[in-house]
């Protein structure tokens, strides 16, 4: 007898092939496809999926959930969209491995505006293996992790903006190899975020070689300040992977409105790299609003030394004047202030500042009637850096080219902080399926589902998920293609989407008729070598 039987739905199996009529029988944590009606097994429960699409659970190649999902294991913003597997440890900012607990906790404090700082978890792990145990059968989604170069660099070199010595690099490579053996999927970098951003290209090549030895790949937030700030950051990543001999994955790839040239030059460079022997893939998200920690607005030198040193530095009037001069060297100070009207701040905790939750920095500056740098630094000092920002990201004119590109998959870059996170956190998959596929017909439903399921599974090397096929894991999403859509908006993002009826992870219902069941059947995925 099957535990669960899904009948009368259209199976879109994740391969990119068109859908077909069949039943899906789930026994334990695996599934099998049943064609015809004479062989339908008896089941403890039957779901009638008439008029619905039955497909593999969705993969998210970029999620800032490493800490939040330990505190809020239902992970409702993501599972309600149909997500069953997430990749963490991205942007170079993995929360393992570390050599000491103080290194871990200082890293948490530095990036509390990006990944949060839940006060109800223990922070008692040190290795990739011990971190993965925090997720196994304790969350509603499966978790795969990368190894962030920032964690390696902090553990070995510290927070200082100095070159790594050969001894440092050997130590980092040893830590990376151990993490890969414990199940990590590769190396990640976030080359706008210290201390990982302090790494040279040669240092990253050395680390990439170590990850490549174990079949890993290089998952990178580019060094966006490099050279022409357009193609040169991608060229650096290609060089790292060519010399490191491993695949390249460009995360949250997009084209900005102020880029010097069109998006096609990005795609042409990817094609050129592939022709030169480098395997290149990327992920993107379908919203024009990005999000990150607000400290990204600070110069790299201002963040040297870690969270306490950064907070102390920001109280210094001479430091603030130097920040103003740095801004003026890039653009006019007046233009920078005007741009702050598009930078919304959130995740406030201090009672005196709660009134500013969800306001732009420009609005706050006008309320305070003080200099913008002073206001910004005062906020960061008072909130101990734990402020998030939502700001313009992908240019709407070219956004769909990335989401529909055959080499692309979905990475929501979801951040779960503040009253008004980017709407991508709650609506990325419904927006693609409802807006770009059903309404605008920019790609087929089968192709969209391939980019959300089997393609990211292939990128990770996860062989037992991502396709609806006999004997594979029963991660299944069931939705109404005629009604699926995001409900959240920029101004009011925290809303459940419409049209996702059921989500099954490892054979267990997590979303049942649109309602979370409270089940936490997620697995910590470990790459096998």
């Amino acid at each position: 007898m099957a535990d669960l039987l899904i009948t009368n739905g259209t199976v879109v199996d994740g391969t990119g092939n068109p859908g077909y009529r069949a039943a899906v029988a789930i026994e334990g944590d695996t599934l099998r496809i049943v064609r015809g009606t004479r062989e339908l097994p008896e089941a403890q429960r039957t779901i009638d999926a008439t008029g619905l699409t039955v497909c593999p659970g969705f993969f998210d190649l970029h999620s800032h959930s490493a800490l939040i999902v330990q505190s809020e294991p239902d992970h409702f913003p993501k599972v309600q969209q149909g997500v069953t597997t997430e990749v963490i440890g991205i942007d170079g900012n993995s929360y393992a491995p570390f050599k000491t607990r103080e290194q871990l906790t200082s890293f948490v404090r530095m990036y509390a505006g990006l990944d949060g700082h839940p006060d109800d978890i223990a922070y008692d792990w040190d290795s990739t293996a011990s971190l993965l145990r925090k997720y196994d059968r304790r969350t509603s989604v499966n978790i795969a992790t990368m190894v962030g170069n920032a964690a390696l660099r902090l553990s070995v070199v510290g927070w200082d903006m100095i070159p790594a010595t050969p001894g440092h690099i050997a130590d980092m490579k040893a830590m990376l190899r151990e993490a890969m053996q414990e199940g990590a999927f590769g190396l990640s970098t976030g080359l706008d975020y210290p201390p990982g951003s302090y790494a040279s290209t040669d240092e990253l090549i050395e680390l990439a070689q170590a990850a490549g030895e174990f079949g890993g790949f290089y998952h990178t937030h580019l060094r966006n300040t490099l050279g022409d700030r357009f193609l040169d950051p991608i060229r650096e990543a290609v060089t790292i992977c060519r010399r490191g001999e491993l695949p390249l994955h460009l995360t949250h790839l997009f084209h900005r409105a102020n880029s010097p040239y069109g998006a096609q030059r990005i795609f042409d460079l990817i094609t050129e790299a592939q022709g030169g022997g480098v395997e290149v893939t990327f992920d993107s998200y379908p919203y024009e609003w990005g999000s990150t920690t607000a400290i990204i607005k600070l110069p790299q030198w201002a963040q040297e030394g870690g969270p306490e040193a950064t907070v102390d530095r920001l109280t210094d009037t001479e430091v603030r004047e130097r920040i103003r001069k740095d801004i003026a060297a890039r653009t006019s100070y007046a233009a920078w202030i005007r741009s702050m009207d598009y930078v919304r701040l959130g995740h406030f905790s201090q009672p005196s500042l709660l009134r500013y939750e969800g306001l732009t920095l420009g609005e706050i500056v006008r309320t305070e009637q003080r200099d913008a740098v002073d206001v910004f630094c005062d906020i960061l000092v008072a909130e101990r850096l734990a402020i998030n920002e939502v700001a313009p990201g992908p240019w709407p004119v070219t956004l769909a080219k990335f989401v529909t590109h055959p080499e692309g998959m979905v990475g929501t870059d979801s951040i779960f902080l503040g009253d008004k996170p980017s709407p991508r956190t709650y609506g990325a998959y419904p927006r693609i399926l409802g807006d770009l596929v059903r309404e605008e017909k920019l790609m087929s439903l089968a192709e969209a589902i391939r980019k959300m399921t089997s393609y990211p599974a292939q990128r990770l090397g996860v062989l037992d998920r991502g396709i609806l096929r006999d004997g594979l894991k029963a991660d299944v999403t069931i939705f109404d293609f005629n009604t699926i859509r995001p409900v959240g908006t920029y101004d009011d993002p925290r809303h459940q989407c419409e049209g996702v009826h059921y989500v099954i992870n490892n054979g267990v219902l997590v979303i049942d008729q649109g309602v979370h069941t409270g089940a936490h059947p997620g697995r910590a995925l470990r790459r096998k070598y």
Side-chain angles (χ1 to χ4, degrees), residues 220-257:
T220 183
H221 165 132
L222 297 164
R223 198 187 309 267
N224 290 307
T225 57
L226 183 66
D228 66 3
R229 301 187 176 210
F230 180 51
L231 297 181
D232 286 342
I234 300 175
R235 292 187 179 107
E236 181 192 37
V238 171
T239 297
I240 289 166
C241 291
R242 178 179 293 117
R243 293 176 57 188
E245 300 183 313
L246 81 174
L248 169 61
H249 184 79
L250 303 165
T251 197
H252 53 47
L253 187 66
F254 61 84
H255 176 242
R256 296 182 186 275

Side-chain angles (χ1 to χ4, degrees), residues 322-355:
R322 184 180 171 188
I323 291 173
R324 291 185 191 94
K325 290 178 179 177
D326 273 20
I327 293 169
R330 299 193 308 270
T331 184
S332 75
Y333 192 53
W336 182 82
I337 292 174
R338 286 195 300 273
S339 73
M340 293 304 103
D341 276 330
Y342 300 96
V343 178
R344 185 170 69 195
L345 302 185
H347 198 225
F348 288 86
S349 63
Q350 295 301 308
S352 63
L353 297 177
L354 292 177
R355 61 192 172 122

Side-chain angles (χ1 to χ4, degrees), residues 73-74 135-141 508 510 516 518-523:
D74 284 359
Y135 307 118
D136 220 0
R137 293 176 171 84
R138 295 184 179 186
T139 75
S140 292
V141 295
V508 177
V510 176
H516 201 294
H520 301 143
R523 303 287 197 271

Side-chain angles (χ1 to χ4, degrees), residues 26 28-31 465 472-476 504-508:
I26 295 173
D29 64 354
T30 61
L31 64 86
R465 302 174 196 270
L472 298 192
K473 296 299 183 184
D475 295 353
V476 183
I504 300 159
N505 201 346
N506 295 294
V508 177

Side-chain angles (χ1 to χ4, degrees), residues 50 54 79 86 102 161 264 299 310 331 365 375 387 392 478:
T50 299
V54 182
V79 295
E86 291 195 325
E102 173 52 33
M161 193 189 304
Q264 187 57 45
T310 300
T331 184
V365 167
V375 170
I387 294 297
I478 304 172

Side-chain angles (χ1 to χ4, degrees), residues 90-415:
I90 35 68
D91 287 339
N93 293 350
S94 66
Y95 288 89
F98 286 102
K99 291 189 174 183
T100 69
R101 188 172 187 274
E102 173 52 33
Q103 290 170 344
L104 167 62
T105 55
S106 71
F107 197 73
V108 170
R109 292 193 297 274
M110 189 72 171
Y111 288 103
L114 182 64
D115 299 313
H117 188 179
D119 59 10
D120 57 350
I121 62 178
Y123 302 100
D124 58 353
W125 64 88
D126 52 7
S127 63
T128 295
S130 57
L131 175 60
L132 287 175
R133 286 194 290 271
K134 295 290 184 180
Y135 307 118
D136 220 0
R137 293 176 171 84
R138 295 184 179 186
T139 75
S140 292
V141 295
N142 305 312
I143 296 290
T145 191
M146 308 298 292
V147 179
N149 82 303
L152 301 174
R153 205 170 210 277
L154 175 56
S155 295
V156 174
V157 183
W159 285 106
D160 294 333
M161 193 189 304
I162 59 174
T165 67
H168 288 148
I169 292 173
D171 199 355
M172 287 189 280
K173 290 172 73 172
M175 291 180 68
L176 175 56
R177 290 187 178 107
E178 182 177 7
M180 296 295 293
Q181 290 172 325
E182 291 174 347
F185 285 81
L187 173 69
S188 85
T189 58
L191 299 179
D192 288 327
Y193 300 117
S197 57
Y198 301 154
S200 68
T201 304
D202 287 340
E203 177 182 325
L204 296 175
I205 290 169
E206 292 274 357
L207 295 179
Q209 289 170 345
E213 292 170 6
F214 294 87
F217 67 101
Y218 180 64
H219 184 292
T220 183
H221 165 132
L222 297 164
R223 198 187 309 267
N224 290 307
T225 57
L226 183 66
D228 66 3
R229 301 187 176 210
F230 180 51
L231 297 181
D232 286 342
I234 300 175
R235 292 187 179 107
E236 181 192 37
V238 171
T239 297
I240 289 166
C241 291
R242 178 179 293 117
R243 293 176 57 188
E245 300 183 313
L246 81 174
L248 169 61
H249 184 79
L250 303 165
T251 197
H252 53 47
L253 187 66
F254 61 84
H255 176 242
R256 296 182 186 275
N258 62 355
S259 295
Y261 302 103
Q264 187 57 45
R265 298 201 184 199
I266 296 173
F267 301 134
D268 290 345
L269 182 55
I270 289 173
T271 301
E272 178 185 319
Q274 292 168 329
V278 178
E279 182 182 340
V280 185
T281 55
F282 68 86
D283 65 65
S284 61
Y285 54 85
Y287 280 91
E288 59 269 39
W289 297 102
S291 181
T292 187
T293 170
I295 64 174
I296 201 168
K297 291 285 185 286
L298 297 174
Q300 296 272 302
W301 59 262
Q303 302 174 61
E304 187 176 8
E308 282 69 37
T310 300
V311 169
D312 288 346
R313 191 177 291 117
L314 293 180
T315 64
D316 189 322
T317 56
E318 293 183 2
V319 167
R320 295 184 181 193
E321 184 57 32
R322 184 180 171 188
I323 291 173
R324 291 185 191 94
K325 290 178 179 177
D326 273 20
I327 293 169
R330 299 193 308 270
T331 184
S332 75
Y333 192 53
W336 182 82
I337 292 174
R338 286 195 300 273
S339 73
M340 293 304 103
D341 276 330
Y342 300 96
V343 178
R344 185 170 69 195
L345 302 185
H347 198 225
F348 288 86
S349 63
Q350 295 301 308
S352 63
L353 297 177
L354 292 177
R355 61 192 172 122
Y356 292 144
E357 180 72 28
L359 298 184
T360 68
L361 181 55
E363 290 171 326
I364 297 170
V365 167
R366 286 190 291 274
T367 299
E368 294 272 336
Q369 295 186 331
R370 296 190 294 124
D371 174 76
V373 168
D374 284 334
V375 170
F376 185 51
C377 290
D378 285 346
I379 287 172
L380 292 178
V381 169
E383 295 286 350
R384 310 300 293 180
L385 310 181
I387 294 297
N388 176 258
E389 69 166 47
V390 175
W395 190 26
V397 172
T398 56
L399 183 153
K401 292 185 176 182
F402 290 83
V403 177
T404 61
H405 193 280
E407 305 294 346
M409 32 196 112
V410 183
T412 66
D413 200 359
S414 45
I415 297 174

